[in-house]
Amino acid sequence: MLVVGSIALDTIITPKEKHADLLGGSASYAALSASFFTPVNLVGVVGTDFPKKYLELFQKHRIDITGLKTEQGETFRWTGQYEINMNNRTTLSVALNVFEKFSPELPSSYRATPYVLLANIHPALQLHVLDQIQSPRFVVADTMDLWINIASEDLKKVLKRVDMLILNDSEAKEFMKEDNLIKAGHKLMEMGPKYVAIKKGEHGCLLFGPEGRFFSAPAYPLKQVNDPTGAGDTFAGALLGYVASTQDASFENLRRGVVNGSVMASYNVEEFSLRRLKELQPSDIKSRFEEFKQYSHFA
Ligand code: AMP
């Protein structure tokens, strides 16, 4: 599976804690999460200040970093602060640094990767990746409110070329100018993707498919969230990682992908940065997946 996105050094401030220089970025979360299901080819850029221990972490998790460029200068830095409810977040600072001139170039060994995750980056860069990839089996794009606001035309072009779009509830409503989330999901499918996953944070996720297919997954009932950063990227990485590992993109299997995504996201938010994911064991994933089954089953 191919993952293209941002790689960052984050500073995260919550009402209780503050941590600097954490490994972050959409591609870091998505790649590490996906690696529990399938081998990953990573494309991104970092600066010369990027700690070696983070490169080693990627490699330890069978993430191929041939496509990870190190450029002269500093790594992309992002600072976010959460409010007391741990949902609302303010971006305090962004320093694009080497990310400013990032143009994702795929090594030739990556071009035939069958499963592609266009993690959150400018949609024009997502299009550039699509131009380089050879007949992929399933392509997923993630996005954020920033691109809906400043690059909606490019984003619309992306929609025409991907199998699945993942975004959160407020973004879906804003993009489709539609207050009803179900209508927003259907409108998004009319713009190109066969499947649309709408994340609702602590309230779970909706999956829309062709011919009126619909699935609603709950979120794992966590009592404490310590750092919600990257939950969406972790979700997307696991969803597609699971699909790649099973080589099955049917609606039935995408439902299991959504639950695996929710399992991984629930672990991710338990600790800052990738600290929980990097210690995770396959048995942890399996046990929480079984809990999801119990919590959502009825006869
Ligand atoms: P999420 O919590 O899913 O919104 O993802 C947060 C991650 O996105 C952080 O680790 C940031 O480094 C990264 N990020 C923030 N702004 C951007 C941006 N404009 N483009 C790409 N990645 C970003």
Side-chain angles (χ1 to χ4, degrees):
M1 167 177 159
L2 177 72
V3 175
V4 186
S6 62
I7 296 173
L9 293 175
D10 288 344
T11 297
I12 310 285
I13 305 162
T14 67
K16 287 190 189 150
E17 287 173 79
K18 174 178 175 173
H19 295 275
D21 287 341
L22 298 168
L23 177 57
S26 57
S28 306
Y29 284 104
L32 199 71
S33 176
S35 74
F36 285 88
F37 301 90
T38 195
V40 175
N41 292 336
L42 179 62
V43 172
V45 67
V46 295
T48 42
D49 60 342
F50 192 68
K52 205 166 153 240
K53 64 177 180 191
Y54 294 155
L55 296 175
E56 287 164 358
L57 173 68
F58 288 143
Q59 285 170 313
K60 198 176 143 211
H61 283 82
R62 60 179 181 169
I63 298 171
D64 184 314
I65 56 169
T66 315
L68 180 60
K69 268 197 215 154
T70 303
E71 300 283 6
Q72 277 303 319
E74 285 186 33
T75 303
F76 172 45
R77 282 172 192 267
W78 175 81
T79 304
Q81 178 165 25
Y82 289 92
E83 288 176 19
I84 201 102
N85 68 13
M86 293 298 276
N87 279 327
N88 299 348
R89 181 175 80 190
T90 311
T91 294
L92 294 186
S93 69
V94 177
L96 290 173
N97 300 328
V98 295
F99 194 49
E100 189 166 6
K101 294 207 173 104
F102 176 51
S103 172
E105 303 304 332
L106 269 51
S108 53
S109 57
Y110 283 16
R111 289 181 191 225
T113 314
Y115 295 90
V116 178
L117 176 58
L118 304 169
N120 176 31
I121 42 170
H122 194 296
L125 299 183
Q126 295 180 322
L127 289 169
H128 185 55
V129 173
L130 290 173
D131 289 339
Q132 298 170 68
I133 197 94
Q134 290 158 6
S135 30
R137 261 183 242 154
F138 201 79
V139 182
V140 176
D142 194 358
T143 197
M144 72 188 289
D145 51 356
L146 177 66
W147 314 128
I148 292 168
N149 293 328
I150 69 165
S152 71
E153 287 314 306
D154 282 332
L155 187 55
K156 285 176 191 165
K157 287 185 199 157
V158 171
L159 293 196
K160 289 199 168 45
R161 295 176 63 182
V162 299
D163 298 286
M164 182 180 216
L165 176 72
I166 300 181
L167 73 182
N168 71 31
D169 44 5
S170 60
E171 291 161 352
K173 288 179 180 177
E174 191 185 336
F175 192 19
M176 292 299 100
K177 302 198 177 8
E178 175 57 67
D179 284 331
N180 181 295
L181 201 53
I182 306 300
K183 275 193 194 160
H186 284 274
K187 278 189 174 179
L188 283 163
M189 279 198 300
E190 282 165 21
M191 299 186 71
K194 222 162 133 192
Y195 305 97
V196 173
I198 300 184
K199 298 163 291 172
K200 301 186 294 168
E202 69 199 281
H203 303 298
C205 175
L206 304 179
L207 176 66
F208 299 81
E211 289 138 33
R213 288 192 182 92
F214 179 75
F215 175 59
S216 172
Y220 187 77
L222 275 182
K223 286 206 185 103
Q224 180 152 352
V225 170
N226 286 320
D227 175 15
T229 312
D233 313 304
T234 304
F235 171 87
L239 193 169
L240 189 60
Y242 175 75
V243 170
S245 71
T246 49
Q247 305 218 14
D248 176 359
S250 65
F251 191 78
E252 203 46 42
N253 204 46
L254 286 172
R255 290 164 61 124
R256 287 187 281 269
V258 164
V259 174
N260 275 303
S262 308
V263 165
M264 295 301 282
S266 73
Y267 278 121
N268 181 57
V269 302
E270 286 182 358
E271 284 184 35
F272 279 74
S273 180
L274 290 149
R275 286 178 189 166
R276 183 68 182 98
L277 288 197
K278 72 180 190 182
E279 303 301 335
L280 208 63
Q281 298 301 318
S283 56
D284 297 324
I285 302 173
K286 198 162 177 282
S287 68
R288 211 167 260 192
F289 186 91
E290 291 304 319
E291 278 186 81
F292 261 89
K293 228 190 238 175
Q294 278 176 29
Y295 294 155
S296 355
H297 175 81
F298 63 93

